[in-house]
Amino acid sequence: MRSRAFRVFSALLLAASGGLAGAADFTGPDSCKGCHPEAYDAWMKSKHARATDTLADAQKKDARCLSCHAPDQAAQTLAAVTCETCHGGGQYYSPSYVMKDPELARLVGLVDPSEKQCRTCHDASSPSLRPFDFKEALKAIDHWSAERARKQQTRADAAPSTPAPVTAKK
């Protein structure tokens, strides 16, 4: 009960200060790297991290192209599709104590990307040769499986081993 009250109080405090999801400042992908190294490495190898590399010089100045290839360029120094492009500005959810509470993290701005969100760029008007297949696209940007496996292994390693049952001597 007390934890729930804290989360509600925190969300209300952030709302009062004008800091809900859409207004959160970007912290940059390096701020994610410390806690999510596998996700960061997967992102670095992805096409999203190099989204502007596919553009010609003239396209790099075209707002229509940049709206998808570097959508948050004005809010951050990196011209790419970053963690926060999909997950929202991390100013309020990036602290580790917030990230440990998924409900609180979502309350203060962490976004779980959806097909609809992806289709704002990957749509029929994008100059792609192939139609967008959301399920296949998720496989191409999988940055969560390795991290989940590491966390499960860490929990398994940290779990206390159960001692063998003691039998009474006769």
Side-chain angles (χ1 to χ4, degrees):
M1 179 70 175
R2 188 175 222 190
S3 169
R4 176 107 173 119
F6 174 74
R7 284 190 292 247
V8 170
F9 175 74
S10 297
L12 291 173
L13 182 62
L14 286 171
S17 67
L20 287 176
D25 288 336
F26 286 81
T27 59
D30 285 340
S31 69
C32 306
K33 182 181 181 179
C35 297
H36 305 285
E38 296 89 355
Y40 181 86
D41 290 342
W43 170 75
M44 285 295 292
K45 295 173 187 169
S46 76
K47 291 180 181 181
H48 281 157
R50 299 179 311 281
T52 55
D53 294 352
T54 62
L55 299 176
D57 288 339
Q59 291 173 317
K60 290 179 182 178
K61 297 175 180 135
D62 187 335
R64 292 173 301 173
C65 299
L66 293 176
S67 67
C68 287
H69 287 263
D72 305 311
Q73 190 172 3
Q76 56 186 359
T77 58
L78 189 62
V81 177
T82 68
C83 313
E84 293 169 297
T85 301
C86 302
H87 295 287
Q91 177 182 8
Y92 299 115
Y93 68 76
S94 64
S96 61
Y97 74 91
V98 176
M99 288 298 286
K100 288 179 182 177
D101 183 340
E103 186 180 342
L104 177 59
R106 286 179 183 90
L107 278 171
V108 297
L110 178 64
V111 174
D112 289 323
S114 66
E115 180 173 1
K116 181 180 178 182
Q117 183 180 352
C118 294
R119 286 191 180 277
T120 60
C121 287
H122 299 279
D123 62 3
S125 68
S126 64
S128 175
L129 299 175
R130 288 184 281 159
F132 182 67
D133 182 339
F134 181 67
K135 289 181 182 178
E136 288 301 312
L138 283 180
K139 293 176 191 173
I141 63 164
D142 180 354
H143 57 279
W144 50 87
S145 295
E147 181 174 343
R148 286 182 181 157
R150 176 184 54 88
K151 286 182 178 181
Q152 287 174 344
Q153 185 60 46
T154 301
R155 285 186 202 116
D157 292 345
S161 59
T162 53
V166 178
T167 56
K169 291 186 181 181
K170 295 183 183 181

